Amino acid sequence: MEDLIKKVAEHIVSAKHLVALTGAGISVESGIPPFRGKGGLWEKFDPMEVGHIQSFMRDPEKVWRLLISEMRNVLKAARPNAAHLGLARLEELGILKTVITQNIDGLHQLAGNRDVIEFHGNFAWLRCLDCSSREETVAVDLAQMPPRCACGGIYRPECVFFGETIPPADLDRSQIASSTCDLMLVMGCSAVVQPAAFMPVIAKQSGALVIEINPEPTPLTGATSTLRVPEKAGKAMREILAEVERIK
Ligand code: NAD
Ligand code: ZN
């Protein structure tokens, strides 16, 4: 393992344009359960079904109760962990240029990263389905379900539900970042949610090296990614960063 950490650190230090792609796994050590995998809050129901735009439009109260209010409580308490902070440090060192994230938790920005592409939007804001006015998610009163805007319209989170398309500008920027990097770090990403999972493939096809940090193998492992650090993101990043600081 020590050799693997050293190797990854060397690749990071010699990279000219590092891009990170992150999924729900990077925030697990911040107390936010992923949708897939064991131990999740979501074992009670299928988030892919409850989190689908059609479920929301059919029964917004149910989706608010099961998924959105639960997510709000979890996110309120969450703080960046060593993996988010490590990526912020790599940006400070001038190595990391862009973070592409599937996450909606805002933890990369809180850690200090400035160029973050939020593929699936952000959970911090709600938007009225009728008049489009916005409200902060933490500020809304949950006594009334589903919460409503002053105009009477129902609020929805600004994040992208399953079944909705990624905003084209975000997709474009992600494709450009993926095709121009020389190293991509894929952290806590199961690589089964498209089109995010395609970004490492673009990176690889453009000549970049792809390295994964994930306790579990993914469809990228061995095919698209050359190396995988089989550890939790925070622990792995702490070790890698210590080595980066030593040799940079
Ligand atoms: P995902 O692609 O985000 O997969 C999670 C991956 O994280 C798995 O491969 C798992 O092996 C890995 N993992 C688990 N613990 C880890 C750790 N400590 N360190 C590193 N890797 C770890 O897929 P998902 O969880 O099914 O989520 C689907 C979508 O739902 C995401 O794309 C995201 O948009 C959204 N989501 C976001 C959050 C968040 O914002 N934090 C949380 C849950 C789901
Ligand atoms: Zn309204």
Side-chain angles (χ1 to χ4, degrees):
M1 185 60 77
E2 217 171 282
D3 282 353
L4 178 61
I5 297 290
K6 276 196 176 137
K7 213 169 176 180
V8 172
E10 280 163 14
H11 282 301
I12 289 175
V13 169
S14 55
K16 295 205 164 39
H17 193 126
L18 171 64
V19 167
L21 172 68
T22 67
I26 196 173
S27 296
V28 168
E29 287 152 278
S30 294
I32 308 172
F35 284 169
R36 289 188 186 77
K38 42 186 181 316
L41 245 180
W42 325 111
E43 278 179 337
K44 304 175 258 183
F45 56 84
D46 181 1
M48 309 297 161
E49 194 202 314
V50 179
H52 199 283
I53 186 63
Q54 281 170 7
S55 308
F56 183 78
M57 296 315 278
R58 207 166 35 230
D59 191 349
E61 181 181 347
K62 180 179 164 198
V63 177
W64 261 100
R65 281 191 196 285
L66 279 178
L67 189 63
I68 307 172
S69 50
E70 189 80 62
M71 199 69 166
R72 183 174 96 145
N73 292 338
V74 171
L75 292 190
K76 224 192 257 177
R79 292 293 167 269
N81 66 54
H84 301 101
L85 296 169
L87 289 179
R89 176 66 181 144
L90 290 177
E91 181 183 305
E92 209 174 76
L93 290 173
I95 302 170
L96 177 69
K97 308 296 185 207
T98 303
V99 178
I100 306 169
T101 188
Q102 294 177 271
N103 296 342
I104 52 162
D105 55 32
L107 293 181
H108 288 300
Q109 292 92 325
L110 215 54
N113 279 109
R114 281 164 301 179
D115 189 22
V116 181
I117 303 172
E118 294 177 300
F119 231 81
H120 294 159
N122 196 296
F123 196 76
W125 291 87
L126 305 172
R127 192 174 64 238
C128 170
L129 285 179
D130 289 348
C131 75
S132 294
S133 73
R134 296 167 85 224
E135 173 69 284
E136 266 193 286
T137 308
V138 286
V140 85
D141 181 10
L142 294 188
Q144 167 183 251
M145 276 292 195
R148 287 174 189 271
C149 162
C151 85
I154 292 170
Y155 276 128
R156 63 159 288 168
E158 285 206 322
C159 51
V160 176
F161 279 92
F162 294 109
E164 291 190 297
T165 51
I166 309 285
D170 292 334
L171 190 55
D172 280 356
R173 285 189 59 224
S174 302
Q175 282 168 338
I176 292 167
S178 303
S179 63
T180 48
C181 66
D182 58 355
L183 176 61
M184 180 177 271
L185 275 184
V186 183
M187 303 172 69
C189 181
S190 62
V192 294
V193 180
Q194 290 294 1
F198 195 58
M199 298 302 133
V201 177
I202 295 179
K204 171 94 171 180
Q205 282 170 352
S206 311
L209 183 73
V210 178
I211 299 177
E212 286 183 279
I213 301 178
N214 196 321
E216 306 292 334
T218 75
L220 301 173
T221 311
T224 302
S225 78
T226 312
L227 296 170
R228 177 174 69 94
V229 181
E231 282 183 4
K232 290 181 176 174
K235 180 172 186 290
M237 192 47 126
R238 214 177 275 122
E239 293 166 1
I240 293 166
L241 199 62
E243 185 61 15
V244 166
E245 300 279 9
R246 200 179 68 78
I247 62 174
K248 71 174 193 293

